[in-house]
């Protein structure tokens, strides 16, 4: 199956995941709910993403991944239509939870197919393309949703997504997949990498990283509204461009690594900048805020791009076990970060919100720094 088709599937899947984020203020007003409650539209979707990859990994050991991909995308398209017509916020949450169950099936099927069909340099090249597609989907999902809400209606964007998902699903040829003959793994084996303290600290640092990232991007519309009086969905969508610019800046990671002699030192430095950018976000200048936000996003992508392969180097467990645990910690941080900071900003204000993120980011920095000190006399770096 053409890699371009797989990448399109990934992009529109991430449209579904992130489209509600710039619209949270719209949903809060439309359904008469609080800031924290509207933020739960993201956290309730990420919660299954923290658990489901483990079970889907086992499922795909005995089933055709493209077959699952095809029907999961059709189901996701159906939930997009349902999302438009639900009459109350509770059913909106239920629909997002169903999407959260379907999304990891699609993402696991995509990576399973790429991992099975490509080897060596082709595997690395196409996995890099897949990661790039997730960034593109995350950015344009937010930006287009905001612009559709401003120029047309947020519902119209969901019609576009549903149509695209349906067309892509129809074009998938399920007969191109060769069945995986590897023996099925026990779910208990997914916990084995956690027995290594160095790896556990890395996972916990990733949890802290994505907790802060999800919190800021989830409540960005409310921050822009309350701190800078920006309520136009179109302007909010363009400010999310810092996410995309940050992703481009993160391409300098290989160049920066040339000046730092191991991965732990690099992660320590980037985590320090990540923490500092959070403090700078507590400003009254929109230009400074956007600059700090762009730097914040760049640091997140640099940490993510370094931590994911480093986990595979450190772990002696099977690749699926290592990456399953990584994804679980990553999206658990995202699920919690999408909700609990909303309570802080709602009841204690923006300054308390920033302090909360800064403290948690410092925890991640301390975990990484401890690995750095431990790895100075070893090859772990």
């Amino acid at each position: 199956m053409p890699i371009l088709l797989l990448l399109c599937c990934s992009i529109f899947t991430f449209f579904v995941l992130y489209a509600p984020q710039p619209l949270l203020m719209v949903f809060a007003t439309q359904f008469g709910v609080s800031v924290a409650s509207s933020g739960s539209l993201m956290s309730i979707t990420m919660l299954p993403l923290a658990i489901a990859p483990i079970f889907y990994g086992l499922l795909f050991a005995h089933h055709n991944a493209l077959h699952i991909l095809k029907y999961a995308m059709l189901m996701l398209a159906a939930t997009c239509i349902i999302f438009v017509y639900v009459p109350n916020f509770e059913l909106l949450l239920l629909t997002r939870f169903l999407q959260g169950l379907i999304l990891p099936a699609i993402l696991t099927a995509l990576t399973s197919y790429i991992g099975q069909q490509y080897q060596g340099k082709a595997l690395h090249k196409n996995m890099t393309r897949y990661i790039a597609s997730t960034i593109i989907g995350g950015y344009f999902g937010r930006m287009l949703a905001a612009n559709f809400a401003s120029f047309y209606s947020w519902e119209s964007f969901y019609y576009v997504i549903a149509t695209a998902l349906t067309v892509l699903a129809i074009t998938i040829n399920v007969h191109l997949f060769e069945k995986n003959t590897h023996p099925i793994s026990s779910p208990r084996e997914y916990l084995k990498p956690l027995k290594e303290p160095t790896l556990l600290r890395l996972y916990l640092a990733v949890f802290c990283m994505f907790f802060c990232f999800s919190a800021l991007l989830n409540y960005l519309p409310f921050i822009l509204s309350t701190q800078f009086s920006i309520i136009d969905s179109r302007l909010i969508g363009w400010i999310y461009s810092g996410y995309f610019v940050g992703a481009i800046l993160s391409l300098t990671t290989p160049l920066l690594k040339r000046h730092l002699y191991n991965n732990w030192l690099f992660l320590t430095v980037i985590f320090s900048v990540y923490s500092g950018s959070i403090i700078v976000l507590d400003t009254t200048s929109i230009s400074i805020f956007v600059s700090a936000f762009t730097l914040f996003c760049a640091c997140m992508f640099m940490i993510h791009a370094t931590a994911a392969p480093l986990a595979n180097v450190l772990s002696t467990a099977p690749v699926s076990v290592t990456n399953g645990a990584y994804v679980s910690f990553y999206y658990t941080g995202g699920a919690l970060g999408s909700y609990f900071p909303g309570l802080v900003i709602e009841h204690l204000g923006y300054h308390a919100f920033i302090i909360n993120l800064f403290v948690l980011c410092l925890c991640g920095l301390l975990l990484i720094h401890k690995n750095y000190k431990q790895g100075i006399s070893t090859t772990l770096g």
Side-chain angles (χ1 to χ4, degrees):
M1 190 167 76
I3 188 66
L4 180 60
L5 177 59
L6 293 175
L7 298 180
C8 289
C9 291
S10 171
I11 289 171
F12 280 96
T13 298
F14 275 85
F15 274 17
V16 177
L17 177 58
Y18 288 114
Q21 206 163 57
L23 305 176
L24 293 179
M25 188 182 304
V26 175
F27 294 133
T29 303
Q30 181 173 331
F31 293 97
V33 297
S34 66
V35 171
S37 295
S38 65
S40 63
L41 286 172
M42 294 302 300
S43 58
I44 201 169
T45 311
M46 288 187 179
L47 190 58
L49 279 164
I51 303 171
I54 295 176
F55 301 101
Y56 288 138
L58 299 176
L59 178 65
F60 293 159
H62 290 302
H63 292 79
N64 185 327
L66 290 183
H67 185 86
I68 294 174
L69 174 63
K70 184 184 187 76
Y71 289 100
M73 290 187 66
L74 289 174
M75 291 171 62
L76 190 62
T79 63
C80 289
I81 300 300
I82 294 172
F83 191 81
V84 171
Y85 288 101
V86 292
N88 56 60
F89 190 74
E90 289 72 21
L91 289 177
L92 205 67
L93 283 175
L94 177 59
T95 306
R96 286 291 288 174
F97 180 75
L98 292 175
Q99 290 178 344
L101 291 174
I102 299 170
L103 287 168
I106 295 175
L107 302 181
T108 307
L110 287 170
T111 53
S112 295
Y113 181 81
I114 294 173
Q116 174 114 2
Q117 301 299 313
Y118 300 98
Q119 303 296 326
K121 291 183 178 179
L123 174 61
H124 183 270
K125 180 180 180 180
N126 287 314
M127 282 302 295
T128 301
R129 288 173 173 174
Y130 167 75
I131 293 172
S133 73
T134 67
I135 295 173
I136 293 172
Y139 167 66
F140 283 102
R142 295 177 174 99
M143 190 270 286
L144 290 176
N147 278 274
F148 266 79
S150 179
F151 290 105
Y152 305 104
S153 67
W154 67 265
E155 293 90 346
S156 60
F157 185 55
Y158 275 87
Y159 291 131
V160 172
I161 298 175
T163 301
L165 289 172
T166 302
V167 171
L168 288 169
I170 293 173
T171 59
I172 294 174
N173 185 349
V174 299
H175 301 295
L176 295 178
F177 185 78
E178 296 180 6
K179 187 177 180 180
N180 188 356
T181 58
H182 294 294
I184 192 169
S185 300
S186 167
R188 185 175 298 178
E189 292 190 27
Y190 280 79
L191 300 178
K192 286 184 178 180
L194 304 184
K195 295 181 179 180
E196 168 55 48
T198 303
L199 189 61
L200 177 58
R201 285 193 289 267
L202 178 63
Y203 284 150
L204 289 172
V206 168
F207 167 90
C208 295
M209 170 203 73
F210 201 55
F211 181 101
C212 297
F213 187 77
S214 294
L216 183 61
L217 268 72
N218 214 42
Y219 296 102
L220 183 61
F222 299 100
I223 294 169
L224 294 175
S225 174
T226 57
Q227 301 299 119
F228 303 103
S229 300
I230 297 176
I231 59 175
D232 188 339
S233 296
R234 180 182 55 182
L235 292 177
I236 292 173
W238 282 112
I239 290 175
Y240 271 106
S241 297
Y243 170 96
F244 193 63
V245 175
I248 295 174
L249 291 176
S250 70
L251 297 177
T252 62
T253 299
L255 178 63
L256 294 175
K257 281 187 175 181
R258 295 179 185 176
H259 302 285
L260 300 172
Y261 59 85
N262 68 30
N263 286 312
W264 294 124
L265 178 59
F266 177 79
L267 285 173
T268 299
V269 172
I270 298 302
F271 245 109
S272 299
V273 179
Y274 194 53
S275 303
S277 67
I278 292 175
I279 292 298
V280 178
L281 287 168
D282 193 3
T283 177
T284 57
S285 170
I286 185 62
S287 60
I288 294 176
F289 180 90
V290 172
S291 299
F293 174 66
T294 302
L295 179 61
F296 174 85
C297 292
C299 289
M300 181 272 177
F301 290 124
M302 288 181 185
I303 295 169
H304 185 29
T306 304
L310 183 57
N312 285 274
V313 173
L314 290 171
S315 177
T316 57
V319 174
S320 61
V321 173
T322 302
N323 292 320
Y326 184 93
V327 170
S328 292
F329 275 87
Y330 184 86
Y331 280 109
T332 299
L336 298 179
S338 297
Y339 180 71
F340 287 107
L343 298 176
V344 175
I345 198 171
E346 183 177 1
H347 296 289
L348 300 177
Y350 180 60
H351 298 296
F353 173 84
I354 290 294
I355 292 172
N356 175 259
L357 299 191
F358 178 69
V359 169
L360 197 65
C361 195
L362 282 183
C363 292
L365 172 59
L366 292 174
L367 289 164
I368 291 297
H369 185 63
K370 187 170 183 178
N371 279 354
Y372 166 61
K373 291 195 298 182
Q374 178 180 317
I376 288 177
S377 59
T378 71
T379 60
L380 292 180

